[in-house]
Every structure is written in C-alpha cells, then in structure tokens.
Amino acid sequence: QNINEYVAALISLKQKMIDGDRLLTEYQQKCTDILYFSIKILALRCQVEQMLQKILPLEKCQEELGSLKAELEEKKVCL
C-alpha cells in the first residue's frame, strides 16, 4: 500500500509540474505580448505626435486664409 501511495504522490507531483510548466509558458507568452504591444503603442504615439506637428502649421494657415477671405469679401462689397 505504501508503494501505491508513493506512486500516486509521484503522479500527482508530475501533474503539478506539468501544470506549472504550462502556466509558466502562458505567463511568458503574455509578457512577450505585453512587450510587443508596448512597442507598437510607442510607435503609434510617435506617429500621432508627428501628425500633430504637421497639423499645427496647417491650422494656422487655415486661420490666415479665413482672414484673407473675409478681407477680400469686404473689398468686394466696397467695389
């Protein structure tokens, strides 16, 4: 009976080791995924920042264009 208990304990221990290895593999994969997505997010943030830097001068030009248009409309009315 002691041998049977010993074998059962070994089988249980082996299953726990297998489960532990599986959990460790899943954890490592999730860490890898987090790192991958962190890098992607950083790249996207850089792209957004670059786009914002390009948009700001365009917004200023649009404001100036609006002012010029209003001025031209005024002069047109006067003529």
Side-chain angles (χ1 to χ4, degrees):
Q1 188 178 358
N2 284 343
I3 291 177
N4 289 340
E5 289 174 3
Y6 180 73
V7 169
L10 283 176
I11 291 171
S12 175
L13 180 59
K14 184 176 180 181
Q15 187 59 49
K16 287 179 182 179
M17 289 172 62
I18 291 169
D19 292 344
D21 286 345
R22 181 184 50 79
L23 289 172
L24 182 59
T25 301
E26 288 175 9
Y27 174 77
Q28 288 171 336
Q29 183 59 50
K30 287 180 182 181
C31 289
T32 302
D33 290 346
I34 288 170
L35 180 60
Y36 171 78
F37 288 117
S38 294
I39 292 168
K40 286 288 187 184
I41 288 169
L42 182 60
L44 289 171
R45 283 183 178 161
C46 288
Q47 287 178 358
V48 167
E49 188 61 37
Q50 289 172 352
M51 290 175 76
L52 286 173
Q53 289 175 0
K54 290 178 183 178
I55 287 172
L56 290 176
L58 292 175
E59 287 177 340
K60 187 176 180 181
C61 287
Q62 190 175 15
E63 288 174 12
E64 290 175 7
L65 185 61
S67 296
L68 288 173
K69 190 175 179 181
E71 242 181 80
L72 286 174
E73 287 295 326
E74 256 182 56
K75 288 182 180 181
K76 183 179 173 184
V77 168
C78 289
L79 292 175

